[in-house]
Amino acid sequence: MTKLFVVGTGPGAADLVAPRARAAVEASTDLVAYGLYLELLGDVCDGKTHHDLPLGEEINRARLALDLAASGKTTALVSSGDIGIYAMATLVFELLDRQLQGQEDQPEWLDVEVEVIPGISAMQAGASRVGALLGHDFCTISLSDLLTPWQTIEKRIHSAGSGDFVVSFYNPVSKKRDWQLNSARDILLQYRPAETPVLLGRQLTREDESIRIIRLDQLDAKDVDMFTLVSVGNSESRRIVNGSREWVYTPRGYRKKL
């Protein structure tokens, strides 16, 4: 049986790539990815056949990876962060599901052994940079309405607000989408204080990383781009300052026991 590794390589720093992810890349002859992800991996990709498909070609990437593996090539489909969170793993299984439902004509895909290897997600990397923002219940919401109707996204933001979850927003803005983040801010302000801490983490763990901690009422889409993670604390999240260092944490309720 041929092998397809579906690999999450973490937020960007080489030393945050899991050993199992590195081993999968090393074991593969062919690598399918958006080119930047392979550049971040560095030397471990040397000597491999690279199949670099641009952003927007996610379906073709998944198809190509399955085709390569089905042809007998040990293949790694690579994505940054965790490949199961807003990334390529779901497409692989959707295509396999379609094949089982008779909606694809690629029976050889079903002979491929698929192994999904997780990676550190941007929300985890961001939270670690500022302390313990994800210390209590949290959720993630993608603000991209390319695949999900805005009405559905809006409903989920209200649910996260009423449930008082820490919320990490993925795909907060793009060149063609610049209004959803401010709408999400206004919704959350209905449920939590204006001073609620917000993390803006850009290019997390990479050479040009930048970290900002602001208030929820200061959040503005003009300060965010597609490389930025936005994480909003819940009503109890606290911002603390020690000299030039500041942290954010979300208490779990230990205060009653202290």
Side-chain angles (χ1 to χ4, degrees):
M1 181 175 286
T2 55
K3 190 75 176 261
L4 172 60
F5 295 106
V6 182
V7 183
T9 59
D15 56 357
L16 290 180
V17 179
R20 186 176 295 182
R22 184 173 294 275
V25 173
E26 290 174 343
S28 300
T29 61
D30 289 69
L31 308 177
V32 181
Y34 171 52
L36 173 63
Y37 303 151
L38 301 183
E39 292 176 17
L40 291 170
L41 278 173
D43 294 346
V44 70
C45 298
D46 291 350
K48 316 292 182 182
T49 301
H50 294 196
H51 303 269
D52 177 2
L53 277 72
L55 293 176
E57 294 290 328
E58 287 77 17
I59 294 174
N60 289 335
R61 262 186 261 154
R63 288 184 180 278
L64 176 58
L66 283 165
D67 286 341
L68 289 168
S71 73
K73 297 178 179 179
T74 302
T75 304
L77 176 60
V78 178
S79 182
S80 64
D82 184 302
I83 200 162
I85 300 177
Y86 305 120
M88 296 297 301
T90 185
L91 265 174
V92 170
F93 291 105
E94 188 166 355
L95 289 171
L96 292 174
D97 188 15
R98 285 175 55 84
Q99 176 59 40
L100 287 167
Q101 299 300 321
Q103 297 170 323
E104 298 283 342
D105 187 22
Q106 304 290 342
E108 66 275 11
W109 286 352
L110 300 181
D111 294 326
V112 173
E113 179 185 356
V114 180
E115 180 180 349
V116 180
I117 300 172
I120 296 172
S121 181
M123 66 177 175
Q124 295 168 286
S128 74
R129 295 309 239 186
V130 298
L133 181 57
L134 303 180
H136 210 328
D137 297 333
F138 62 89
C139 68
T140 66
I141 299 176
S142 171
L143 293 183
S144 172
D145 58 356
L146 295 177
L147 301 175
T148 304
W150 175 250
Q151 292 82 357
T152 300
I153 297 170
E154 191 174 42
K155 180 179 178 181
R156 292 172 179 170
I157 299 168
H158 276 286
S159 296
S162 64
D164 203 23
F165 287 87
V166 175
V167 186
S168 292
F169 289 118
Y170 282 64
N171 306 309
V173 300
S174 71
K175 292 179 179 179
K176 297 181 179 180
R177 290 186 302 102
D178 60 0
W179 59 268
Q180 288 92 339
L181 181 60
N182 288 354
S183 293
R185 172 203 64 204
D186 293 342
I187 293 171
L188 289 181
L189 281 169
Q190 299 175 33
Y191 299 96
R192 58 196 63 174
E195 64 269 19
T196 299
V198 176
L199 161 68
L200 302 182
R202 187 177 189 279
Q203 298 283 37
L204 288 161
T205 80
R206 303 176 188 178
E207 288 185 0
D208 53 347
E209 175 188 83
S210 66
I211 300 287
R212 292 179 60 202
I213 302 171
I214 62 174
R215 293 163 46 113
L216 179 56
D217 62 352
Q218 295 173 325
L219 178 59
D220 195 301
K222 66 178 176 55
D223 300 321
V224 174
D225 64 14
M226 63 186 297
F227 300 106
T228 306
L229 171 81
V230 179
S231 289
V232 182
N234 70 11
S235 63
E236 296 187 354
S237 297
R238 289 179 53 79
R239 179 179 184 177
I240 57 177
V241 178
N242 179 24
S244 62
R245 188 72 171 96
E246 59 181 333
W247 299 287
V248 177
Y249 76 98
T250 303
R252 285 188 62 197
Y254 287 113
R255 187 174 303 162
K256 300 174 184 177
K257 298 179 179 292
L258 295 175

